[in-house]
Amino acid sequence: QHGVTHVVDASGQRYEEGAYAEYMHVDVRDELDADIGSLLAGTTTFIRTALAAGGAVLVHCEAGKSRSAAIVAAYLMASEDLSAAAAVESVRAAHPRADPNAGFRKQASSRRRRFSMSCSAAAGGARRPEKAPRRSPRVDRARARRTHTHAGLARRAGTSTV
């Protein structure tokens, strides 16, 4: 359990769920042409809601490097107003083997503006300004460590990939 209150499961596997957490299952293959983009607003809202309530989120897939990393990167894009490349680098800083497949990265890059606004609207928030102030890479890495931990352990009220 390790303090996990919410789980985003992108593994495609079915298993016995723990009573200690709320689950969101997303069905997406780890293939270049798989449409992960249509799921990201929902996963980001789920993560944002869990964190706002003081929860800790575990995001996992089968290998712990592509689908889960893409989901956490999308969350960082929406919550920290990062570019797709900066979000992936933030995830990698906390979880070095993270490597969303090229199709997922391309979808994130091409949908960044629409995605950021749709996630904000889905969460009931106002739209972000077009050019929000950027945080330094050091702050981004610190935020990634809080929101994306190694080995599936949630630290502080953050998210993790496995």
Side-chain angles (χ1 to χ4, degrees):
Q1 292 109 345
H2 304 285
V4 172
T5 60
H6 294 73
V7 176
V8 178
D9 171 17
S11 71
Q13 310 281 324
R14 291 296 179 233
Y15 52 85
E16 186 174 335
E17 297 177 356
Y20 57 86
E22 182 178 335
Y23 286 75
M24 176 181 203
H25 298 277
V26 293
D27 186 22
V28 63
R29 300 173 326 277
D30 188 9
E31 297 174 2
L32 293 177
D33 64 344
D35 180 18
I36 197 169
S38 64
L39 305 171
L40 296 177
T43 58
T44 296
T45 299
F46 182 82
I47 293 168
R48 181 180 286 149
T49 302
L51 296 177
V57 181
L58 168 69
V59 178
H60 77 93
C61 60
E62 195 167 346
K65 66 182 247 181
S66 185
R67 290 170 284 187
S68 57
I71 290 168
V72 173
Y75 167 75
L76 290 173
M77 287 171 63
S79 66
E80 301 293 322
D81 197 32
L82 298 178
S83 68
V88 169
E89 286 309 310
S90 291
V91 172
R92 281 188 182 141
H95 189 65
R97 71 180 185 153
D99 187 25
N101 79 40
F104 294 168
R105 282 183 276 167
K106 183 177 179 180
Q107 288 176 59
S109 292
S110 68
R111 295 177 183 223
R112 179 175 184 242
R113 182 164 183 245
R114 284 180 297 165
F115 171 72
S116 182
M117 287 190 282
S118 69
C119 288
S120 180
R127 289 185 175 184
R128 292 186 181 277
E130 287 298 314
K131 295 203 178 207
R134 297 281 309 214
R135 291 193 170 110
S136 73
R138 183 181 309 190
V139 172
D140 289 342
R141 283 192 297 275
R143 174 69 178 159
R145 279 193 283 284
R146 285 195 308 273
T147 61
H148 177 84
T149 62
H150 183 66
L153 301 178
R155 286 187 198 150
R156 296 187 180 154
T159 61
S160 170
T161 67
V162 178

